[in-house]
Amino acid sequence: MSRTRLTLFGGTLAFYLAIVVAVLAPTWLVTLDWKVMLFRPYQQWPELHAFLDYFVVLGQRGPTAVMVAAWLGWRSWRQHTLRPLLALGAALLLLNATVGAVKIGLGRLGPHYATQIGSAELFAGGDIFPSGHTANAVVTWGILAYLATTPRARRYLSALSAVVSLGVGLTTVYLGTHWLSDVLLGWAAGLLILLALPWCETLIGTAEAWILSLREQWRARRRLAPSLPVAAGGLTPGIFPQRGPSGEQEPAREPVAAVGGRPTARTATQLDRQRPHTVRSERMPVTPSGSRRPPTSRPVTGG
């Protein structure tokens, strides 16, 4: 976190708090909100309405997050690092937590749902202060400039993100979906998140190392897992006796085992050679049951 970035962060935070206090008071800023709303820009320049309806999509969280994530995912694959995707995830998480909490806490109604002229319309169950479209445009397009690898690319992407975020914010005022103060606070909220991202770099690096270690463990388990070839019928070859080309039964084979990473098989004859045999004198005598004499045949006599 450089001194310049700290200075910008402090100035933006002071501007953010000033906007909140100006709306809570209320002050001249609320009066300006009502003047712009009653001016109804969408009625003054109706020819812009069709184009700006599509342009404001650049501030919607779903479409913009998908587009930016696709680009950063390609960069992660090319550079063999997860940092771009993890930085985007951290920025969106901060955006949802901070902007969402202020929206719900202040509960401001939008211009189309205003109930009393000159009122700030706070704590009425709304959720438009600060502008989510504006803050999202600042974060999702500004993250491209934050992750730029060259000064030239950073300058161009910073200009692009500034134009898009300014245009999206003013478009919401034109369409009458946000007060002007909503947009000012949305710009400040998004800029605060981008300026605070360097404080998250340590956590991003830890998360990347943990994910990569899990991947290596999974790959190691796949390499060391024993693979038994299965024949047709679901039986493992070599376990049961088989018949050779001459029709004679071949000795049974031991189940396949992995030795040194390569499957081996030993026949029953090889196992018998290695197994110690008992001496004949050590064997227990077996007494046959019954007499050993063959049965005496009786002559057949005629009648």
Side-chain angles (χ1 to χ4, degrees):
M1 201 71 170
S2 63
R3 181 176 300 179
T4 302
R5 187 178 287 271
L6 281 174
T7 303
L8 289 174
F9 184 84
T12 307
L13 182 60
F15 178 77
Y16 185 97
L17 295 176
I19 297 297
V20 174
V21 171
V23 173
L24 287 172
T27 60
W28 59 271
L29 185 57
V30 177
T31 304
L32 180 61
D33 284 340
W34 277 97
K35 287 183 178 180
V36 174
M37 181 264 189
L38 295 175
F39 181 70
R40 291 182 173 83
Y42 58 90
Q43 292 183 355
Q44 302 296 327
W45 301 287
E47 63 276 5
L48 300 177
H49 202 290
F51 168 74
L52 294 179
D53 269 340
Y54 290 101
F55 179 77
V56 79
V57 177
L58 296 178
Q60 288 185 1
R61 193 160 305 166
T64 55
V66 170
M67 288 187 291
V68 174
W71 166 253
L72 294 181
W74 181 79
R75 276 191 55 185
S76 296
W77 178 72
R78 287 290 303 271
Q79 299 174 359
H80 304 285
T81 176
L82 296 176
R83 180 174 173 265
L85 286 176
L86 292 176
L88 176 62
L92 293 180
L93 183 61
L94 289 175
L95 177 65
N96 291 333
T98 56
V99 174
V102 177
K103 279 175 173 286
I104 297 174
L106 296 178
R108 192 180 192 187
L109 294 175
H112 292 314
Y113 302 96
T115 58
Q116 183 180 355
I117 295 179
S119 172
E121 302 295 335
L122 292 172
F123 311 109
D127 58 350
I128 58 120
F129 184 67
S131 170
H133 273 68
T134 305
N136 183 72
V138 174
V139 171
T140 52
W141 299 109
I143 196 70
L144 299 178
Y146 176 80
L147 295 172
T149 55
T150 61
R152 182 179 181 182
R154 186 174 294 110
R155 286 194 299 268
Y156 287 151
L157 291 174
S158 297
L160 175 64
S161 61
V163 170
V164 173
S165 58
L166 287 172
V168 168
L170 294 177
T171 298
T172 60
V173 176
Y174 167 86
L175 297 174
T177 56
H178 279 287
W179 306 99
L180 180 60
S181 57
D182 299 342
V183 175
L184 295 177
L185 196 64
W187 284 332
L191 187 57
L192 282 175
I193 293 172
L194 289 180
L195 292 173
L197 271 182
W199 282 325
C200 302
E201 287 294 339
T202 302
L203 182 60
I204 291 173
T206 304
E208 181 181 13
W210 179 70
I211 294 173
L212 292 179
S213 66
L214 287 181
R215 186 188 67 175
E216 292 302 322
Q217 293 175 9
W218 177 72
R219 287 181 175 179
R221 281 196 296 266
R222 286 194 60 187
R223 287 194 297 264
L224 296 177
S227 57
L228 296 178
V230 178
L235 299 178
T236 304
I239 298 180
F240 299 101
Q242 300 179 0
R243 296 189 179 276
S246 61
E248 298 180 357
Q249 181 173 320
E250 295 182 351
R253 294 180 179 271
E254 187 186 19
V256 179
V259 177
R262 293 179 299 179
T264 61
R266 292 182 294 179
T267 63
T269 306
Q270 294 173 344
L271 291 176
D272 290 338
R273 293 175 181 173
Q274 298 177 5
R275 188 181 299 120
H277 294 273
T278 59
V279 185
R280 185 174 185 85
S281 60
E282 296 177 355
R283 297 182 182 177
M284 295 296 295
V286 179
T287 304
S289 59
S291 177
R292 296 187 180 181
R293 293 183 177 182
T296 305
S297 58
R298 298 177 62 184
V300 181
T301 57

